[in-house]
Amino acid sequence: MKTIKSRFEIFRQKTHIIIYGTNTFAGRLFDLILLGLILLSVLIVMMETVKGFDQKYHTELVFCEWVITLFFTIEYLLRIISINKPFRYIFSFYGIIDLIATLPMYLSLFFAGTSVLTTIRALRLLRLFKILNHPQFSSQSVHLKESILASRGRILVFMYFVLISCVIIGSLMYVVEGADAGFTSIPTSIYWCIVTLTTVGYGDISPVTPLGQFIASFVMILGYGIIAVPTGIITAEIAKNTLRKKSLKIHCFSCGSEDHLENAKFCQNCGSELDEAK
Amino acid sequence: MKTIKSRFEIFRQKTHIIIYGTNTFAGRLFDLILLGLILLSVLIVMMETVKGFDQKYHTELVFCEWVITLFFTIEYLLRIISINKPFRYIFSFYGIIDLIATLPMYLSLFFAGTSVLTTIRALRLLRLFKILNHPQFSSQSVHLKESILASRGRILVFMYFVLISCVIIGSLMYVVEGADAGFTSIPTSIYWCIVTLTTVGYGDISPVTPLGQFIASFVMILGYGIIAVPTGIITAEIAKNTLRKKSLKIHCFSCGSEDHLENAKFCQNCGSELDEAK
Amino acid sequence: MKTIKSRFEIFRQKTHIIIYGTNTFAGRLFDLILLGLILLSVLIVMMETVKGFDQKYHTELVFCEWVITLFFTIEYLLRIISINKPFRYIFSFYGIIDLIATLPMYLSLFFAGTSVLTTIRALRLLRLFKILNHPQFSSQSVHLKESILASRGRILVFMYFVLISCVIIGSLMYVVEGADAGFTSIPTSIYWCIVTLTTVGYGDISPVTPLGQFIASFVMILGYGIIAVPTGIITAEIAKNTLRKKSLKIHCFSCGSEDHLENAKFCQNCGSELDEAK
Amino acid sequence: MKTIKSRFEIFRQKTHIIIYGTNTFAGRLFDLILLGLILLSVLIVMMETVKGFDQKYHTELVFCEWVITLFFTIEYLLRIISINKPFRYIFSFYGIIDLIATLPMYLSLFFAGTSVLTTIRALRLLRLFKILNHPQFSSQSVHLKESILASRGRILVFMYFVLISCVIIGSLMYVVEGADAGFTSIPTSIYWCIVTLTTVGYGDISPVTPLGQFIASFVMILGYGIIAVPTGIITAEIAKNTLRKKSLKIHCFSCGSEDHLENAKFCQNCGSELDEAK
C-alpha cells in the first residue's frame, strides 16, 4: 500500500518536472510538442472557417480536433495531479483558459450550435503566450515590460486626451457633415474620427463638404503629429533602460564611478583597475 | 442678522472646500459624481443621435438630460456663490463652458431647432479636461506639457514645411490628374495631398495616370519618412526630461538643491561635495 | 547732374534696406506685406479652380491678380536696381522664381491656354519659403537642417532598401495577383507596394487571392516595423544636438569638464565656480 | 605553351581586379556600367508588362533584353574564370542569382510560357543590393545593420505579440461581423486585423456592426500606440551607437585604444591618463 503511494509520488514528481520544468530534455520536448499542438489546433479552427477547404477535408479536421482535445484533456488532468496546490492552478489565468480550451468539444456532443462555440475556441490561442516564459524570450520581454509599465501613466494621459478629442471632433463632424455623408450618428462619427486620427483611413466614411474636409485635414495632421508623443515616451524609457543596462555591469570600487563602457578594463574616472568579478 | 451672515459665510466656505478642493472626502466624492454625470450627459447626447435607440427611449433620455442639467445649474450657481472673485470664474475658460453647457436645454423650451443646439451641447465635453487637474494625473501631464511646449518652435517650422509642400504638390496634382480623377479643384487636391502625406489614405480620391501615381508614390515615401522629424523632436525633449528626473534623487545636504546629473560629485548650486551615501 | 546721381544712390540704399533688410521697421513691414500678398495670390489661384466660386467672383479674382502681379513686378525691378550685383540675384533660385511668378499674367494677354499657365503660377508658392530666413524661425530650422543633413547617408541607404524591396515585391505580386485584381503591370504593382508599405492604403488596388493577402500582410508588418529605422536615425541625431546644445553653454575652466546642467553655478566634477561670462 | 598559360594568368588577374576590385578606375567603371545595365534590365522587364508600351516597342525591348543577357552571361563566365575558388562563387548567394538572372532568356528559346519566366526575371533585381558593398555606403549600412541586429530579440518578442493579438482579434471579429460584412473566414479576418493594426486601412473589408466598429476602434488605437515599441527599441540602439561614435575621437596615446566615453579621464583599456589636449 505504501509502495503504491510512493510510486505515485515519484510519478507525480517526474510529471511535474516534465510539465512545469524547462531544464530537462523531456521538459523542453514536452513544451515544444505542446506549442506545436496549440499552433496546429489554431490552424485547424482557422481552416474550418474557410468554406472550400472545410467541405473537402471536414472529417480529417474534426478527427484532428478530437485527438488534440484528448491530449489537452490529459495534460490538464496531469497538471492538476502533479502540482502541490491544485486549486491555485485551477483558478489561475492559464488554468481557466486550459479548461475552457477543452470544454467546447465535449459540449458539442450534447448541444448543437457550433457558431457560438467557435468563439470560445479562439481563447485557446491565449495559451500561446506561455512561450514568453521560456528562458530565451523572458529576459527580452521583461525588459520591454518594464519600459512599458514605467511609461504607463503618461500613455494613459495621452490616450485620455486622444479619446476626448475624438468625442468632440466626432460630435462636430456629425453636425457639419450629417447623415448623407455617412456620419449617421455621433458614435459613428467618433468611429470615423478614430479611423482618421490613427491614420488608418478605411474610406468607408469620408467627408464630402469643404468644411468637413478642412476639419478632416486638421484631424489627420493632428494624428500624424501626436503619434510622436507615445513614441517619445516609450523611446525615452527604453533608452534609459538600454543605457542603464550597460553601466550597471561595471562598477569601480576605488571611486564609485559607474559610467563605463561594457568592454572597459580600467575606471575612466580614477584609472584604477575594474573588478571583473561582476 | 449677523448670525445669518456668518452662517452663510460658513456655508460658503464649506461649499468652496467641497467644490474646489480635492483634499477632503466630500470634495473627492463631489469630483467623482461630477465626472460621472459629465460622462453620462455625453453618452446621452451620443445615444440621442442613434435613430433606433432614440425612438425607443426618447422620453427617458430627455428626462435624464433635464436631471443632469438641473444638477449642472445648481453646481454653476454654487461655484459663483462660494468663490471670492466670482467674475474671475464667470469669465474664465471653464466658467464660460459651464454656462454654455446648461443654457441650450433652457433655450430649447422657447425655441425650436434642436439640430443647431446639439453643436453647443458637444462643448460640454471639454469639461472632462478638468480631471487633468486631479493629483494622480497632474504630475504626468505637466511632464508631457513641458516637453511638448519645449519642442513647439521646431514642430511649427516642420508643420509650415508640410503645409507649403501640400499646397505645391496639390497644385501640381490638379494639373496632372484633372477633374476626371476626382481632383476637381486645388483645395480638393491639397486635401488629397494631406490625406496621402499623413498616410491616412482614404481612397476617396486616388491618382489614375502613371505620372500622378509616380508623384503620389513620392508623396507617400516623403510622408513615411518625415514623420521621423516631429517624433525625433518630441522624443529628444522627453528623453531630456526623463534623464533629468533621474538626477533629482541626488540631494545636496548643504543647500538643498536636488537638480544634479547622475555622475555629479559637487553640488552645481553651492559647490560643496555631494554625499555619495545617497 | 551729380545731385541726381547721388539722390538716386540714396534712393537705392534706402530701397535696399527696406527690401533686403529685416532690422528696420519699414523693412519688417515690407516683409509682412509681401508675405500677405503671396498668401493672397496663392489663395486667389486656389479659388479660381473652385468652379462655383470662380463663376460668381471671376472679375474680382482677375482684378486682384493684376494688382498683385503689378506689385510683384515693381518689387522685382526694385530688387534688381537696389542690389550691387544684379545678375547674381537674377540668376539666383529666388530671382528666377520671382520672374516666373509675374510672367504668366503678362503672357496671358497675348496667348490663350490658361490651363498650362496655372502650373507655372503654382511655383509662386515657393517664395513662401523665404520666411524661413526670418530670425525667429532661422535658429530652429538650422537646428533641424543640421540633424537631417547628419542622418542623410543612413536615410539614403534605408530608402534604397525600401525601393528595391518595393520593386521585388511589386514584381512578385504582379505574378501572384494578375491583372484581374488591378495589378495590371509591374509599375502599377510597385505603386501598390509603396501604397501598402508606407501604410497609406488607398484600397484602389487590394489583393484578393489568399497568397496575395498573405504577401500583403507581410508587406504591411514590414512597413509598420521599418518606419522605426528613419525615426531612430533622426531621433538619435536630434537627441545628440539637444543634449549638446545644453552642455556647450557651460565650460569649467578649472578641470575642463563640460557636462553641466544649464542652471549650474559650480562645476559638478571639481566644485570650482563656473564662469558665467559665456 | 608556358607563355600562353602565363598570358592567361595575367588576363585572369586583370579581369579579377576589374570585376571584383573597386580601387582601380577600370574596376569602378565596370561596377557603374553593371549597375546601369541591371537597372536598365529591370526597367525593360517592367515596361514589357505595360500593355500599351509593349505593343509599340516589343521588338526593341526584346533586342535590348538579349544584349543585356549576353553581357550578363559573359560577366558570369569571367567571374568564374577569374576567381581562385570558382565553386565557392557559383554556390554563393549572388552566384546563384547571377545564373538565374541569365537562364530564363535562353530557356525561352526552347519553351513557351513567358508568364512563369517573368517571375524568375524579377530575382535579377536582388543583384542591386551589391551596391551596398561600395565604400561610400558600407560604413553607413554596417552602422544600421548593427543597431537592427542588436534589437532583433526584442523586435521578435514584439512581432510575436502582434501576431497572436491579430489571430485572437481576427477570430473574434469573424464571430462578431460574420461573412456578410466581408469577414468570410478566420484567415480573412486576421488579414483585416493586420491591415487595421498596421494603420494601412485599405477599406476592402471594414466593420459594419456597432460592436465590430468598437473592436476595430480598439485595434486602431492599439496599433497607433504600439508602433512606439519597435521605434523605441531601434531608436535606443541607434542612439547608443551614435553617442559611442562621438567618443571615438578621444584617443589614448599609451595603448592606441579609441573607444572612450566623452567625459573619460583615464583610458578604459590601459588605465593611463588621457591627453585632454585632444
Side-chain angles (χ1 to χ4, degrees):
Chain A
M1 193 72 181
K2 203 185 163 187
T3 336
I4 291 168
K5 212 180 169 184
S6 82
R7 263 189 196 165
F8 177 71
E9 195 53 39
I10 289 163
F11 171 72
R12 260 194 67 200
Q13 280 178 7
K14 272 190 180 164
T15 312
H16 187 92
I17 289 165
I18 291 172
I19 293 186
Y20 290 96
T22 53
N23 298 325
T24 60
F25 177 75
R28 289 168 104 174
L29 191 71
F30 174 81
D31 281 359
L32 275 177
I33 291 169
L34 184 65
L35 183 67
L37 285 175
I38 293 171
L39 283 171
L40 191 66
S41 74
V42 168
L43 209 72
I44 290 166
V45 172
M46 273 190 203
M47 295 322 287
E48 272 177 0
T49 66
V50 182
K51 290 287 167 300
F53 192 88
D54 187 48
Q55 279 166 352
K56 252 190 182 166
Y57 302 103
H58 187 71
T59 328
E60 288 88 340
L61 287 172
V62 170
F63 177 76
C64 283
E65 274 231 282
W66 271 111
V67 171
I68 291 167
T69 305
L70 270 172
F71 181 91
F72 284 168
T73 312
I74 294 163
E75 185 222 338
Y76 181 68
L77 295 174
L78 287 178
R79 273 184 196 275
I80 292 172
I81 290 166
S82 69
I83 210 162
N84 285 325
K85 295 174 180 173
F87 285 101
R88 219 169 145 182
Y89 164 70
I90 291 170
F91 294 107
S92 74
F93 179 67
Y94 284 120
I96 291 162
I97 286 170
D98 287 353
L99 181 66
I100 290 175
T102 53
L103 273 185
M105 279 305 280
Y106 297 111
L107 290 175
S108 68
L109 293 175
F110 307 102
F111 306 100
T114 48
S115 68
V116 182
L117 290 166
T118 324
T119 337
I120 306 167
R121 274 178 204 160
L123 282 166
R124 206 182 285 177
L125 294 162
L126 284 168
R127 292 189 66 186
L128 273 163
F129 275 110
K130 271 186 181 169
I131 205 182
L132 287 176
N133 292 327
H134 281 234
Q136 71 252 44
F137 278 105
S138 66
S139 81
Q140 302 283 8
S141 62
V142 160
H143 214 69
L144 270 184
K145 227 174 175 177
E146 252 176 40
S147 303
I148 292 165
L149 283 180
S151 44
R152 201 178 27 179
R154 279 171 293 170
I155 296 281
L156 279 178
V157 171
F158 172 75
M159 284 299 176
Y160 182 80
F161 168 80
V162 166
L163 281 177
I164 290 186
S165 303
C166 283
V167 172
I168 294 173
I169 296 166
S171 307
L172 192 62
M173 284 300 276
Y174 170 71
V175 179
V176 169
E177 287 281 334
D180 293 337
F183 296 78
T184 47
S185 67
I186 289 182
T188 306
S189 297
I190 292 168
Y191 164 72
W192 167 85
C193 190
I194 292 171
V195 169
T196 302
L197 196 84
T198 56
T199 76
V200 171
Y202 282 137
D204 51 351
I205 309 165
S206 62
V208 291
T209 65
L211 182 59
Q213 293 185 339
F214 182 78
I215 297 169
S217 300
F218 171 77
V219 175
M220 287 168 212
I221 289 172
L222 187 73
Y224 186 69
I226 61 173
I227 199 170
V229 175
T231 307
I233 293 165
I234 287 182
T235 302
E237 285 301 327
I238 292 175
K240 212 173 73 179
N241 277 344
T242 306
L243 294 170
R244 194 167 52 187
K245 197 175 66 175
K246 201 166 64 179
S247 64
L248 278 176
K249 279 183 186 153
I250 302 146
H251 177 87
C252 175
F253 287 101
S254 303
C255 69
S257 152
E258 288 198 324
D259 203 17
H260 299 106
L261 287 171
E262 251 180 313
N263 59 339
K265 290 179 198 155
F266 292 88
C267 173
Q268 64 160 12
N269 196 44
C270 70
S272 60
E273 204 161 348
L274 289 169
D275 193 6
E276 293 278 0
K278 206 232 146 140
Chain B
M1 192 74 179
K2 202 186 163 186
T3 337
I4 292 168
K5 213 180 168 184
S6 83
R7 264 189 196 164
F8 176 72
E9 195 51 40
I10 290 162
F11 170 73
R12 259 196 66 200
Q13 281 178 7
K14 274 191 180 164
T15 313
H16 187 91
I17 289 165
I18 291 171
I19 292 186
Y20 289 98
T22 53
N23 299 324
T24 60
F25 176 77
R28 286 169 105 174
L29 192 72
F30 174 81
D31 282 0
L32 275 177
I33 291 169
L34 185 64
L35 183 67
L37 284 174
I38 293 171
L39 282 172
L40 192 66
S41 74
V42 168
L43 209 71
I44 290 166
V45 172
M46 272 189 204
M47 296 322 288
E48 272 177 1
T49 66
V50 182
K51 290 288 168 298
F53 192 87
D54 188 47
Q55 279 167 353
K56 252 189 182 166
Y57 303 102
H58 188 71
T59 328
E60 288 88 340
L61 288 172
V62 169
F63 177 76
C64 283
E65 272 232 284
W66 272 111
V67 171
I68 291 167
T69 305
L70 271 172
F71 181 93
F72 284 168
T73 312
I74 294 163
E75 185 223 338
Y76 182 68
L77 296 174
L78 287 177
R79 274 186 194 275
I80 292 172
I81 290 165
S82 69
I83 209 163
N84 285 325
K85 295 173 179 174
F87 285 101
R88 219 169 145 180
Y89 164 71
I90 291 169
F91 295 108
S92 73
F93 179 69
Y94 284 118
I96 292 163
I97 286 170
D98 287 353
L99 182 64
I100 291 175
T102 53
L103 272 185
M105 279 305 281
Y106 297 111
L107 290 174
S108 68
L109 293 175
F110 307 104
F111 307 100
T114 47
S115 68
V116 182
L117 290 166
T118 324
T119 336
I120 305 167
R121 275 178 204 161
L123 281 166
R124 207 181 285 177
L125 295 162
L126 283 169
R127 293 189 64 186
L128 272 164
F129 276 110
K130 270 185 180 169
I131 205 182
L132 287 177
N133 293 326
H134 281 236
Q136 70 253 45
F137 279 106
S138 65
S139 80
Q140 303 283 8
S141 62
V142 160
H143 214 71
L144 269 184
K145 226 175 176 177
E146 252 176 40
S147 303
I148 292 165
L149 282 180
S151 45
R152 201 178 29 179
R154 278 170 293 170
I155 296 282
L156 279 177
V157 170
F158 172 75
M159 284 298 176
Y160 181 79
F161 168 80
V162 166
L163 280 176
I164 291 186
S165 303
C166 283
V167 173
I168 293 173
I169 296 165
S171 307
L172 192 63
M173 284 301 275
Y174 170 71
V175 179
V176 168
E177 287 282 333
D180 294 337
F183 296 79
T184 48
S185 67
I186 289 181
T188 306
S189 297
I190 292 168
Y191 164 72
W192 166 85
C193 190
I194 292 171
V195 169
T196 302
L197 196 83
T198 57
T199 75
V200 171
Y202 283 137
D204 52 350
I205 310 165
S206 62
V208 290
T209 65
L211 183 58
Q213 293 186 338
F214 182 79
I215 296 169
S217 299
F218 171 77
V219 175
M220 286 168 213
I221 290 172
L222 188 72
Y224 186 70
I226 61 174
I227 200 170
V229 176
T231 306
I233 293 165
I234 287 181
T235 301
E237 285 301 328
I238 292 175
K240 212 172 73 180
N241 277 345
T242 305
L243 293 171
R244 196 165 53 186
K245 200 175 62 174
K246 204 165 61 180
S247 68
L248 282 175
K249 283 176 187 162
I250 302 170
H251 178 88
C252 173
F253 287 101
S254 302
C255 70
S257 151
E258 289 198 323
D259 203 16
H260 300 106
L261 286 171
E262 240 188 328
N263 60 339
K265 291 180 200 155
F266 294 89
C267 172
Q268 64 159 14
N269 195 44
C270 69
S272 60
E273 204 160 348
L274 288 170
D275 193 6
E276 292 280 359
K278 204 187 167 187
Chain C
M1 192 73 180
K2 201 185 165 187
T3 336
I4 291 168
K5 211 179 168 185
S6 83
R7 265 187 193 165
F8 176 71
E9 196 52 39
I10 289 163
F11 169 74
R12 259 195 66 198
Q13 281 178 6
K14 274 190 178 164
T15 313
H16 186 91
I17 289 165
I18 291 171
I19 292 186
Y20 290 97
T22 53
N23 299 324
T24 60
F25 176 76
R28 287 169 104 175
L29 191 72
F30 174 81
D31 281 359
L32 276 177
I33 291 170
L34 184 64
L35 182 66
L37 285 175
I38 292 171
L39 282 172
L40 192 66
S41 74
V42 168
L43 209 70
I44 290 166
V45 172
M46 272 190 206
M47 295 322 287
E48 273 177 0
T49 66
V50 182
K51 290 290 167 295
F53 192 88
D54 187 47
Q55 278 166 354
K56 251 188 181 167
Y57 302 103
H58 188 70
T59 328
E60 289 86 341
L61 288 173
V62 170
F63 178 75
C64 282
E65 272 234 282
W66 271 111
V67 171
I68 291 166
T69 305
L70 271 173
F71 180 90
F72 283 169
T73 313
I74 294 162
E75 185 224 336
Y76 182 69
L77 295 175
L78 286 177
R79 273 185 195 274
I80 292 172
I81 290 165
S82 68
I83 209 163
N84 285 325
K85 293 175 180 173
F87 285 101
R88 218 168 145 181
Y89 164 69
I90 291 169
F91 295 108
S92 74
F93 179 69
Y94 283 119
I96 292 163
I97 287 170
D98 287 353
L99 182 65
I100 291 174
T102 53
L103 272 185
M105 279 307 280
Y106 297 112
L107 290 174
S108 69
L109 292 175
F110 306 104
F111 307 99
T114 48
S115 69
V116 182
L117 290 166
T118 325
T119 335
I120 305 167
R121 273 178 206 162
L123 281 166
R124 207 180 284 175
L125 295 162
L126 284 169
R127 292 189 65 185
L128 272 164
F129 275 110
K130 270 186 180 169
I131 205 182
L132 286 176
N133 292 326
H134 281 235
Q136 71 253 44
F137 280 106
S138 64
S139 81
Q140 302 282 9
S141 62
V142 160
H143 214 69
L144 269 184
K145 226 176 177 175
E146 251 175 41
S147 302
I148 292 165
L149 282 180
S151 45
R152 201 178 28 178
R154 278 170 294 170
I155 296 281
L156 279 178
V157 170
F158 172 74
M159 284 299 177
Y160 181 79
F161 168 79
V162 166
L163 281 177
I164 290 186
S165 303
C166 283
V167 172
I168 294 172
I169 296 166
S171 307
L172 192 63
M173 284 300 276
Y174 170 70
V175 179
V176 168
E177 286 282 334
D180 293 337
F183 296 79
T184 48
S185 67
I186 289 182
T188 306
S189 296
I190 293 168
Y191 163 74
W192 166 85
C193 190
I194 293 171
V195 168
T196 302
L197 195 84
T198 57
T199 75
V200 170
Y202 282 136
D204 52 351
I205 309 164
S206 63
V208 290
T209 64
L211 183 58
Q213 292 185 339
F214 182 80
I215 297 169
S217 299
F218 171 77
V219 175
M220 286 168 212
I221 289 173
L222 188 73
Y224 186 69
I226 60 174
I227 200 170
V229 176
T231 306
I233 293 166
I234 287 181
T235 302
E237 285 301 327
I238 292 175
K240 212 173 74 180
N241 276 345
T242 306
L243 294 171
R244 193 166 54 188
K245 197 175 67 176
K246 201 169 62 180
S247 65
L248 278 176
K249 278 181 186 157
I250 301 146
H251 177 88
C252 174
F253 287 102
S254 302
C255 68
S257 152
E258 288 196 325
D259 202 18
H260 300 105
L261 286 171
E262 251 179 316
N263 60 339
K265 290 178 198 156
F266 292 88
C267 173
Q268 65 159 15
N269 196 43
C270 69
S272 59
E273 204 161 349
L274 289 169
D275 194 6
E276 292 280 1
K278 205 234 146 148
Chain D
M1 193 73 181
K2 203 186 165 187
T3 336
I4 291 169
K5 213 180 169 184
S6 83
R7 264 188 196 165
F8 176 71
E9 196 52 39
I10 290 163
F11 169 73
R12 260 195 67 199
Q13 281 178 7
K14 274 190 179 165
T15 312
H16 187 91
I17 289 164
I18 292 172
I19 292 186
Y20 289 97
T22 53
N23 299 324
T24 60
F25 177 75
R28 288 169 102 174
L29 191 72
F30 173 81
D31 281 359
L32 275 177
I33 291 169
L34 185 64
L35 183 67
L37 284 175
I38 292 171
L39 282 172
L40 191 67
S41 74
V42 168
L43 209 72
I44 290 166
V45 172
M46 272 191 205
M47 295 322 287
E48 273 176 0
T49 67
V50 182
K51 289 289 166 299
F53 192 88
D54 187 48
Q55 279 166 353
K56 251 191 183 165
Y57 302 103
H58 188 70
T59 327
E60 288 87 342
L61 287 173
V62 170
F63 177 76
C64 283
E65 273 232 282
W66 272 111
V67 170
I68 291 167
T69 304
L70 271 173
F71 181 91
F72 283 168
T73 312
I74 294 162
E75 185 222 336
Y76 182 67
L77 296 174
L78 286 178
R79 274 185 195 275
I80 292 172
I81 290 166
S82 68
I83 209 163
N84 284 325
K85 295 174 180 172
F87 285 100
R88 219 169 145 181
Y89 163 70
I90 291 170
F91 295 107
S92 74
F93 179 68
Y94 284 119
I96 291 163
I97 287 170
D98 287 353
L99 181 66
I100 290 174
T102 53
L103 272 186
M105 279 306 281
Y106 297 112
L107 290 175
S108 68
L109 292 176
F110 307 103
F111 307 100
T114 48
S115 68
V116 182
L117 290 166
T118 324
T119 336
I120 305 168
R121 274 178 205 161
L123 281 166
R124 207 181 283 176
L125 295 162
L126 283 169
R127 292 189 65 186
L128 273 164
F129 275 109
K130 271 186 181 169
I131 205 182
L132 287 176
N133 292 326
H134 281 234
Q136 70 253 44
F137 278 104
S138 64
S139 81
Q140 303 281 9
S141 61
V142 161
H143 215 70
L144 270 184
K145 227 175 176 177
E146 252 175 41
S147 304
I148 292 165
L149 282 180
S151 43
R152 202 178 25 178
R154 278 171 293 171
I155 295 282
L156 280 178
V157 171
F158 172 74
M159 284 300 177
Y160 181 80
F161 169 79
V162 167
L163 281 177
I164 291 185
S165 304
C166 283
V167 173
I168 293 173
I169 297 166
S171 307
L172 193 62
M173 283 300 275
Y174 170 72
V175 178
V176 169
E177 287 282 334
D180 293 337
F183 296 78
T184 48
S185 67
I186 290 182
T188 306
S189 296
I190 293 168
Y191 163 73
W192 167 85
C193 190
I194 293 172
V195 169
T196 302
L197 195 85
T198 57
T199 76
V200 170
Y202 281 136
D204 51 351
I205 310 164
S206 62
V208 290
T209 64
L211 182 59
Q213 292 184 341
F214 183 79
I215 297 169
S217 299
F218 171 77
V219 174
M220 286 168 212
I221 289 173
L222 187 73
Y224 187 69
I226 60 173
I227 199 169
V229 176
T231 307
I233 293 166
I234 287 181
T235 302
E237 285 300 328
I238 292 175
K240 212 173 74 179
N241 277 344
T242 306
L243 293 171
R244 196 165 53 185
K245 200 174 65 175
K246 206 165 60 179
S247 68
L248 283 175
K249 280 174 188 164
I250 301 170
H251 177 89
C252 174
F253 286 102
S254 302
C255 68
S257 151
E258 288 197 324
D259 202 17
H260 301 105
L261 287 171
E262 241 187 328
N263 61 341
K265 291 179 198 154
F266 293 89
C267 173
Q268 64 161 15
N269 196 43
C270 68
S272 59
E273 204 160 350
L274 288 170
D275 194 6
E276 291 281 358
K278 206 186 168 185

